[in-house]
Amino acid sequence: MQAKDPNPCRVIGVLDDGIASLSPTALALLRNADIIIGGTRTLALLAREFKAGAQRHDLTGKLKDVPEWVRAARADHLSCVVLATGDPLCHGIAPYLAQHLCVEVLDILPNLSTLQLACARIGLAWQDARIVSVHARDAGEWQRGSPPGHGLYALAQAARQHARLLVLTSPDNTPDRIARMLLAEGMGDDFLMAVAENLLQPEERVLAELTPQQAAAMRFAALNVVLLWRVTPSARAVRFGLADAEFVQRQPEKGLITKQEVRAVSLARLQLRADSVVWDIGAGSGSVGLEAARLCPQGHVYAIEKNDADYAIAGQNHAAFGVSNYSLFLGKAPDQLDTWPDPDAVFVGGSGGELARLIGTILNRLLPNGTLVMNFVTLENLATATATLQALDGVSWDVLQLQAARSKPILDMHRMAAENPVWIVCARRKAHHD
């Protein structure tokens, strides 16, 4: 049994109705505290309850200082209270303190989360909801294809996977910006929203059953939380092996799509994981990268295409595909690759005449156990690739030739029509052994 600390730091959850939200135990601990740590608003809300001579620390903008303030209080055998909002363990300060101190020195007295209160106001069951915080550095309005660093990225991903979402907003990532993100991702008709403002304050207001179209044009109080719930069934999307006809392709002549059979084998050779970072170079119609995005729901795909027309087609396929973890760029690799994170897997469908240089760049950036997969239809590119790989130290590689034949009608019968042969070249850096 774990020994109880004789002088723990009390982490007390507080709501915006002040002492009315505190239990008798929490209020007594607050009134007897020697050191009180909290945000500007919370300290002001409860200032009348502090005992004479109690020392206050405002943690606003000084989160990194809080563990040291707690250590100093404990070293001086002073009673210390940290005031948190709602439940300190729900996107609150308690996990941070446990990481930088240790959980044994904390005594956590949770309160209701503002998300629970908001659900109660509109009668929304929340046991199966996904909680998402969009507290992050302001990255501006959401654009389709925004990278993982965007403050709304986690929410865009979660909206693809969950029917109910409870969202802790921020001064930048407001309810109206969230609504515009849903519209940009083509989910404007899929969700209804509720916005709960100034909970437990005289000016409390709860706006229920807003459409994203309505909320996108509104303005809201600074203190708010957002609830989202799906009103249309989620699409039961095929994750792997889509038919070629599912993708928009160049017309009137179809082209620059990795055919279904080759695509399936190439994706298998990439050895993708749920959180893989994937590069798709020479994206063409986007078929490989978009299927990879579905296979890596916690990862991200970065795709680049140099041809304007094919870039536009890949963009159309992205819009139709229902993924938010795919970023498409116009350009010629290896340009722009230095701005992308190191990959777990790289697919090369086109090299723009820079194949040897591209292979070297990719293998230098590839993460441990990562895989490079390249598709070739010409002997010259195959020869360049194998010669380049052969000259590199510490690289293992192999070549697979794939040739499929598809049935075609002939009168009242069928014949087999051969597709062009494709060489699939796979390369990995050899594991180093001490």
Side-chain angles (χ1 to χ4, degrees):
M1 186 175 175
Q2 183 175 296
K4 190 171 182 179
D5 192 283
N7 183 29
C9 170
R10 320 283 185 172
V11 185
I12 299 176
V14 181
L15 296 172
D16 282 337
D17 56 350
I19 62 169
S21 69
L22 299 181
S23 68
T25 299
L27 186 55
L29 290 168
L30 174 64
R31 286 171 170 167
N32 287 288
D34 300 306
I35 305 293
I36 301 165
I37 302 167
T40 306
R41 286 183 60 256
T42 311
L43 290 173
L45 189 65
L46 296 172
R48 293 182 180 180
E49 306 305 319
F50 304 162
K51 74 177 183 182
Q55 184 178 354
R56 311 177 193 187
H57 291 293
D58 191 333
L59 61 75
T60 305
K62 299 180 179 179
L63 183 62
K64 292 181 180 179
D65 294 333
V66 176
E68 191 52 46
W69 293 337
V70 173
R71 288 191 194 96
R74 285 168 48 76
D76 292 337
H77 305 288
L78 300 174
S79 59
C80 179
V81 161
V82 175
L83 299 174
T85 301
D87 185 347
L89 289 166
C90 179
H91 291 279
I93 195 173
Y96 177 81
L97 292 178
Q99 178 185 354
H100 288 83
L101 299 165
C102 68
V103 71
E104 290 81 6
V105 307
L106 302 179
D107 182 14
I108 300 169
L109 289 78
N111 213 316
L112 291 174
S113 166
T114 52
L115 296 172
Q116 288 176 271
L117 286 172
C119 288
R121 294 293 191 265
I122 67 167
L124 182 71
W126 64 278
Q127 71 270 8
D128 58 352
R130 171 69 183 271
I131 298 173
V132 181
S133 173
V134 295
H135 273 276
R137 184 178 300 172
D138 183 19
E141 289 285 318
W142 176 265
Q143 304 291 330
R144 184 185 293 279
S146 291
H150 196 287
L152 294 180
Y153 183 85
L155 180 58
Q157 294 293 83
R160 298 287 184 189
Q161 302 171 44
H162 300 274
R164 296 185 181 188
L165 298 152
L166 315 181
V167 188
L168 295 162
T169 60
S170 72
D172 298 310
N173 293 319
T174 54
D176 50 298
R177 181 179 280 184
I178 290 169
R180 291 190 290 273
M181 180 273 290
L182 292 172
L183 295 174
E185 286 295 308
M187 295 188 281
D189 295 328
D190 296 335
F191 285 90
L192 285 177
M193 301 177 61
V195 181
E197 303 175 327
N198 298 316
L199 286 167
L200 298 176
Q201 298 183 61
E203 59 271 30
E204 176 182 307
R205 182 175 71 150
V206 179
L207 299 162
E209 297 197 358
L210 295 172
T211 66
Q213 291 85 351
Q214 291 170 325
M218 297 173 66
R219 293 294 177 266
F220 300 91
L223 298 176
N224 66 74
V225 294
V226 168
L227 313 180
L228 299 171
W229 60 98
R230 181 172 280 278
V231 291
T232 63
S234 296
R236 296 179 65 247
V238 173
R239 296 172 67 88
F240 177 75
L242 272 76
D244 297 342
E246 294 293 315
F247 297 91
V248 178
Q249 299 172 54
R250 189 189 298 167
Q251 299 293 342
E253 179 186 352
K254 294 184 178 181
L256 288 189
I257 183 168
T258 302
K259 298 289 180 65
Q260 183 188 48
E261 298 83 2
V262 177
R263 190 182 339 126
V265 174
S266 296
L267 286 165
R269 298 301 296 270
L270 283 169
Q271 296 290 283
L272 300 175
R273 295 170 174 81
D275 60 352
S276 290
V277 173
V278 182
W279 292 1
D280 180 11
I281 296 174
S285 67
S287 63
V288 172
L290 287 167
E291 281 207 43
R294 282 192 177 168
L295 294 170
C296 306
Q298 285 87 54
H300 196 86
V301 176
Y302 297 83
I304 189 167
E305 172 54 50
K306 66 182 179 63
N307 180 276
D308 288 342
D310 292 312
Y311 170 81
I313 286 170
Q316 290 179 54
N317 285 321
H318 179 203
F321 230 69
V323 294
S324 300
N325 58 336
Y326 179 89
S327 298
L328 177 65
F329 300 87
L330 178 63
K332 180 180 176 181
D335 296 345
Q336 301 190 48
L337 300 188
D338 58 346
T339 66
W340 296 0
D342 291 346
D344 297 288
V346 180
F347 176 76
V348 176
S351 60
E354 298 282 350
L355 185 55
R357 178 182 168 206
L358 197 54
I359 290 171
T361 298
I362 292 167
L363 290 173
N364 282 332
R365 296 281 304 279
L366 205 59
L367 290 169
N369 301 313
T371 305
L372 165 62
V373 173
M374 299 175 282
N375 284 183
F376 302 112
V377 295
T378 69
L379 291 166
E380 289 77 8
N381 279 341
L382 175 65
T384 298
T386 54
T388 302
L389 292 169
Q390 186 70 38
L392 293 173
D393 292 330
V395 176
S396 61
W397 57 274
D398 64 87
V399 180
L400 169 68
Q401 179 180 307
L402 190 65
Q403 183 166 14
R406 295 179 174 181
S407 63
K408 298 284 177 84
I410 176 169
L411 299 176
D412 60 343
M413 296 176 285
H414 291 80
R415 67 181 179 88
M416 298 304 294
E419 299 286 334
N420 288 330
V422 177
W423 290 281
I424 300 175
V425 180
C426 301
R428 286 172 169 249
R429 284 211 166 274
K430 293 178 182 176
H432 293 287
H433 300 284
D434 294 331

